[in-house]
Amino acid sequence: MIEYILGGIFAFLVGLFLYYGSSSQKNDIKKNKVVTAKENEFLDGEFKSKEETDVIIVGAGVAGAALAYTLGKDGRRVHVIERDLTEPDRIVGELLQPGGFLKLVELGLGDCVEEIDAQRVFGYALFKDGKNTKVSYPLEDFQADVAGRSFHNGRFIQRMRRKAATLPNVRLEQGTVTSLLEENGTVKGVTYKTKNGEELKAYAPLTVVCDGCFSNLRRSLCTPKVDVPSCFVGLILENCELPYPNHGHVVLADPSPILFYQISSHEVRCLVDVPGQKVPSLSNGDMANYLKTAVAPQIPSQLHDSFISAIDKGNIRTMPNRSMPALPHPTPGAILMGDAFNMRHPLTGGGMTVALADIVLLRNLLKPLMDLNDASSLCKYLESFYTLRKPVASTINTLAAALYKVFCVSHDEARTEMREACFDYLSLGGVFSSGPVALLSGLNPRPLSLVCHFFAVAIYGVGRLLLPFPSPKRLWIGARLISSASGIIFPIIKAEGVRQMFFPATMSAYYRAPPVN
């Protein structure tokens, strides 16, 4: 017991060093009038005027739809081209963290989580080797409506599309963008095929590419270093109760985590992480057998029967988990957003928070500009976007990648100790849980706080090893634990950009003023 106390005191001092500087976001939330419409049908919008377009947006997912409404509300003439305007059906993008909800409200889209049977989320429950603990979002300083939200991804996207389409200067069109139109290195617009197969060209001074993780345009605008560390196997459990209502559930299973969270009044999403790029075959029954024999024994008993029933129903889906650091090629006339630009492991559900934070930032940068036609000056100015987004985006990206590596089972004793220490550290409560959860939720996305808490976990693990009586073996494992922790987080930080992440104010683009119109 003394090892936990002393280790906890040591970790507390490290965590407290940073925590005193943490500041909570406070937003006044105003409810918007709900636009009622059928959720499973969507017709192409039409401009109320025939004037030229200011911004072309490729893709109308979470990022594209939110950006279309945001820019349209600011008076921009927006043309959105989306491959398929019917309701999406995905197994990810179903959990919006509280920090992302605050950004949604800031954009005037807070009502888009209403009337879709969205569920409030107040924190997480962790399960490991028969033990469990609950960690809550630090929401004490926020209004009562502030919490995470979980929902059907497609319902959420359709709500945002419909809200964008209510603006007279926003047009949503179904079509497939095949290429960017370039002239002397400047993007002038796009070539696309309509839903009727007609090939057309659309022109605008600014093209925003946010066509998702499968983007076929990103290679023109960034260096895509896509990693696929694992795949999610998705099921829906019906009419079952989670052990901790209104909380996401993370089972630290072998070999990697299993997630549960409610996406409607009667449905619980289950995501089983399978390391690597290959999963057992669905067609020959290997997947069902794997889920029943290897996964089912590790999930909470309250969910076991519903889990087996979901397998027997056969509606099992898979999706690769991609991660890609943001490595843009600043290009006049174009910019990347959303999963086309930057991805992280979806374990922590941070993708929509990053996208919405990026949209808030881009909106604020574009607001002073009445004219977007000076492509070279606009491109130089928008380099500040890539710098200013880094602290928030990199914190969420780094945490997702690091936490996934820590939560996976390893044959390395040092990594095993790190995994144990992480669970017990979060179980201590107080600053030990609220600090990391504030990072994960997007409420306090500070890079230095992330590094401090990450190494506080490592030091806590070393304390557990060395007390009450250190031995040469335990000393060796402790040294390897610190080395392993460094080996996890430092390469991730390097990929994100040390200077941009921790010292953005030293970048020249940080102070870049808007071009004079």
Side-chain angles (χ1 to χ4, degrees):
M1 183 64 184
I2 190 171
E3 66 188 53
Y4 285 86
I5 296 173
L6 293 178
I9 293 172
F10 196 98
F12 173 77
L13 293 175
V14 176
L16 195 61
F17 167 74
L18 174 78
Y19 194 78
Y20 79 94
S22 300
S23 62
S24 297
Q25 304 174 38
K26 295 183 179 180
N27 290 49
D28 292 325
I29 298 177
K30 296 181 180 180
K31 291 187 177 180
N32 295 299
K33 185 178 180 181
V34 176
V35 179
T36 58
K38 296 177 77 173
E39 292 293 345
N40 56 359
E41 293 180 1
F42 200 93
L43 300 177
D44 292 354
E46 295 291 342
F47 281 126
K48 301 301 186 290
S49 67
K50 298 299 182 181
E51 298 176 7
E52 68 177 56
T53 304
D54 294 315
V55 182
I56 293 171
I57 297 176
V58 183
V62 171
L67 182 63
Y69 176 77
T70 301
L71 296 183
K73 193 173 62 170
D74 282 352
R76 309 287 184 186
R77 293 160 298 187
V78 182
H79 183 186
V80 185
I81 305 172
E82 162 60 36
R83 181 182 59 83
D84 186 356
L85 284 171
T86 59
E87 183 173 306
D89 183 15
R90 304 181 65 202
I91 65 171
V92 294
E94 297 173 317
L95 177 62
L96 179 65
Q97 297 288 0
F101 175 74
L102 288 172
K103 295 298 181 184
L104 195 73
V105 171
E106 189 175 347
L107 294 171
L109 291 164
D111 59 342
C112 289
V113 296
E114 298 173 6
E115 299 185 1
I116 59 172
D117 199 15
Q119 306 296 301
R120 294 192 180 192
V121 182
F122 297 110
Y124 285 87
L126 304 178
F127 295 78
K128 181 181 178 298
D129 300 332
K131 300 181 293 182
N132 64 80
T133 188
K134 183 177 73 170
V135 293
S136 299
Y137 295 135
L139 301 173
E140 298 81 5
D141 296 330
F142 297 93
Q143 294 186 13
D145 193 43
V146 178
R149 295 292 195 281
S150 54
F151 39 65
H152 280 272
N153 172 269
R155 296 176 186 174
F156 178 55
I157 288 175
Q158 289 299 85
R159 288 284 289 169
M160 289 200 293
R161 288 175 178 175
R162 291 190 178 282
K163 186 152 187 177
T166 62
L167 299 176
N169 50 323
V170 174
R171 176 190 178 193
L172 272 71
E173 181 179 7
Q174 186 163 301
T176 302
V177 174
T178 54
S179 64
L180 299 174
L181 292 172
E182 292 191 41
E183 182 180 311
N184 299 323
T186 298
V187 174
K188 298 292 187 178
V190 299
T191 300
Y192 69 102
K193 288 185 178 181
T194 68
K195 60 183 179 182
N196 298 322
E198 183 182 4
E199 188 166 296
L200 299 177
K201 294 178 181 180
Y203 297 89
L206 180 62
T207 298
V208 183
V209 175
C210 42
D211 53 346
C213 62
F214 299 105
S215 174
N216 63 343
L217 302 176
R218 67 160 63 101
R219 289 187 178 277
S220 303
L221 303 173
C222 78
T223 302
K225 296 182 178 179
V226 181
D227 182 35
V228 184
S230 67
C231 296
F232 267 158
V233 179
L235 306 114
I236 288 183
L237 281 57
E238 297 179 344
N239 299 313
C240 66
E241 291 187 7
L242 291 169
Y244 294 91
N246 299 106
H247 283 70
H249 290 54
V250 183
V251 181
L252 303 190
D254 185 357
S256 54
I258 306 166
L259 308 181
F260 295 91
Y261 50 90
Q262 198 149 358
I263 57 173
S264 74
S265 301
H266 306 291
E267 296 168 302
V268 170
R269 168 66 72 195
C270 171
L271 294 172
V272 179
D273 186 85
V274 179
Q277 299 184 26
K278 293 184 178 180
V279 298
S281 172
L282 287 168
S283 58
N284 64 9
D286 287 350
M287 176 63 77
N289 183 61
Y290 171 78
L291 293 174
K292 287 183 177 181
T293 58
V295 177
Q298 301 186 72
I299 68 173
S301 58
Q302 300 97 314
L303 302 173
H304 184 272
D305 290 347
S306 295
F307 182 75
I308 297 297
S309 177
I311 298 170
D312 290 338
K313 286 182 179 179
N315 189 19
I316 304 171
R317 301 175 58 191
T318 64
M319 181 172 181
N321 293 324
R322 294 171 170 82
S323 63
M324 183 182 75
L327 298 172
H329 299 153
T331 305
I335 192 169
L336 275 168
M337 297 283 287
D339 284 349
F341 175 45
N342 185 202
M343 294 180 281
R344 76 290 310 147
H345 194 285
L347 172 68
T348 58
M352 289 188 288
T353 299
V354 171
L356 294 169
D358 282 352
I359 291 169
V360 170
L361 175 57
L362 183 63
R363 176 201 64 183
N364 293 340
L365 289 172
L366 292 178
K367 262 189 175 180
L369 304 180
M370 299 302 294
D371 183 6
L372 303 178
N373 283 288
D374 188 345
S376 60
S377 296
L378 179 62
C379 177
K380 188 174 182 181
Y381 171 56
L382 288 182
E383 286 182 26
S384 60
F385 167 77
Y386 301 119
T387 299
L388 295 170
R389 72 179 296 274
K390 271 294 183 179
V392 172
S394 294
T395 299
I396 293 173
N397 295 345
T398 302
L399 180 63
L403 207 57
Y404 177 70
K405 291 185 177 181
V406 169
F407 280 175
C408 286
V409 169
S410 173
H411 298 298
D412 184 338
E413 279 187 281
R415 289 280 295 274
T416 299
E417 286 293 335
M418 183 75 176
R419 188 170 182 257
E420 295 278 351
C422 187
F423 179 87
D424 290 342
Y425 181 88
L426 293 171
S427 300
L428 293 172
V431 67
F432 307 109
S433 63
S434 64
V437 173
L439 291 163
L440 181 149
S441 64
L443 294 172
N444 177 35
R446 297 173 180 240
L448 186 57
S449 179
L450 167 62
V451 173
C452 285
H453 277 292
F454 189 80
F455 279 103
V457 171
I459 293 168
Y460 176 73
V462 173
R464 288 159 35 103
L465 284 167
L466 300 187
L467 297 175
F469 302 109
S471 66
K473 181 180 179 181
R474 286 174 172 263
L475 283 167
W476 173 240
I477 295 174
R480 284 174 48 220
L481 194 158
I482 297 295
S483 175
S484 177
S486 302
I488 288 173
I489 198 166
F490 287 146
I492 302 170
I493 291 174
K494 182 180 178 181
E496 290 289 333
V498 176
R499 187 178 169 193
Q500 296 94 324
M501 186 171 174
F502 292 95
F503 311 106
T506 66
M507 306 290 290
S508 59
Y510 189 84
Y511 302 100
R512 192 153 289 160
V516 178
N517 290 319

